[in-house]
Amino acid sequence: GQNIDQPTEMTATEGAIVQINCTYQTSGFNGLFWYQQHAGEAPTFLSYNVLDGLEEKGRFSSFLSRSKGYSYLLLKELQMKDSASYLCAALSGTYKYIFGTGTRLKVLA
Amino acid sequence: GAVVSQHPSRVICKSGTSVKIECRSLDFQATTMFWYRQFPKKSLMLMATSNEGSKATYEQGVEKDKFLINHASLTLSTLTVTSAHPEDSSFYICSARDLGGDSRETQYFGPGTRLLVL
């Protein structure tokens, strides 16, 4: 079956580092996406990993291990505006995204 | 680049009426668009894949006669919720892929349409 797991909620302090984990079981796996979604808004693309390893993009980095069915999103130097939901999505086949329920991150001053 | 718009952003309608939601790719052509539904604090669920010039592909459990999809051009797909009922109240989001962009697999999402059926 298709399954994506990520923590429901996380809390961190401004300026800190936080790691959001995601595990997946997906047929025809073709890559892993991370999106940021503020309440009532559409998801915004953050990263796409198809090969194993770490992809760094400014304050955000994303890691993928295909053999373990595991990914994480790393956010550094947290800012208040980073408070949002972070969605993990596995690409199954050529176009179908399987979304996790999202991790609500609260950044505290 | 890769901007997707949706209209309207919010709609309130009476039970039994039909509501049309538009999804446009503003700076690229999209042969395929996707329609999702999201309940509060829940994941996005794919409803259907909209294909330009052909019939949409619906996910299991989604009624094609209730959720009519038309993809008449390379930049526009519409979702019509027919005979809407209160249980259809939800956040509807469309997305599209820019096959001419750097990442053919990445979907870019519209701002969403919040539907409330009274």
Side-chain angles (χ1 to χ4, degrees), chain A residues 10-19 59-60 73-80 82 105-109:
Chain A
M10 298 183 72
T11 302
T13 306
E14 195 174 16
I17 299 173
V18 70
Q19 178 174 312
R59 293 191 298 116
F60 293 3
L73 180 69
L74 191 71
L75 292 77
K76 303 176 186 175
E77 301 170 18
L78 279 174
Q79 301 175 9
M80 299 297 290
D82 296 330
L105 174 66
K106 294 181 184 178
V107 179
L108 305 176

Side-chain angles (χ1 to χ4, degrees), chain B residues 1-45:
Chain B
V3 178
V4 177
S5 71
Q6 261 183 262
H7 178 80
S9 58
R10 186 182 294 266
V11 58
I12 300 173
C13 69
K14 293 182 179 179
S15 186
T17 60
S18 294
V19 174
K20 180 186 283 189
I21 304 170
E22 292 185 348
C23 177
R24 294 181 186 273
S25 56
L26 297 186
D27 51 0
F28 65 100
Q29 294 183 330
T31 55
T32 304
M33 292 183 173
F34 306 91
W35 287 97
Y36 292 84
R37 184 173 179 176
Q38 187 178 32
F39 291 104
K41 298 185 179 181
K42 298 292 185 183
S43 180
L44 278 80
M45 298 298 296

Side-chain angles (χ1 to χ4, degrees), chain A residues 35 37 42 94 96-97 100, chain B residues 34 38 43 59 97 105 107 110:
Chain A
Y35 283 83
Q37 185 179 28
T94 57
K96 187 169 183 177
Y97 280 23
Chain B
F34 306 91
Q38 187 178 32
S43 180
E59 294 299 301
R97 294 185 300 171
E105 296 79 11
Q107 291 185 21

Side-chain angles (χ1 to χ4, degrees), chain A residues 3-49:
Chain A
N3 193 45
I4 309 288
D5 283 317
Q6 52 181 130
T8 305
E9 285 188 356
M10 298 183 72
T11 302
T13 306
E14 195 174 16
I17 299 173
V18 70
Q19 178 174 312
I20 304 173
N21 297 322
C22 171
T23 57
Y24 64 88
Q25 286 180 302
T26 310
S27 60
F29 178 76
N30 211 4
L32 196 292
F33 290 85
W34 284 95
Y35 283 83
Q36 180 191 61
Q37 185 179 28
H38 286 98
E41 298 180 9
T44 303
F45 170 74
L46 291 178
S47 67
Y48 170 51
N49 294 65

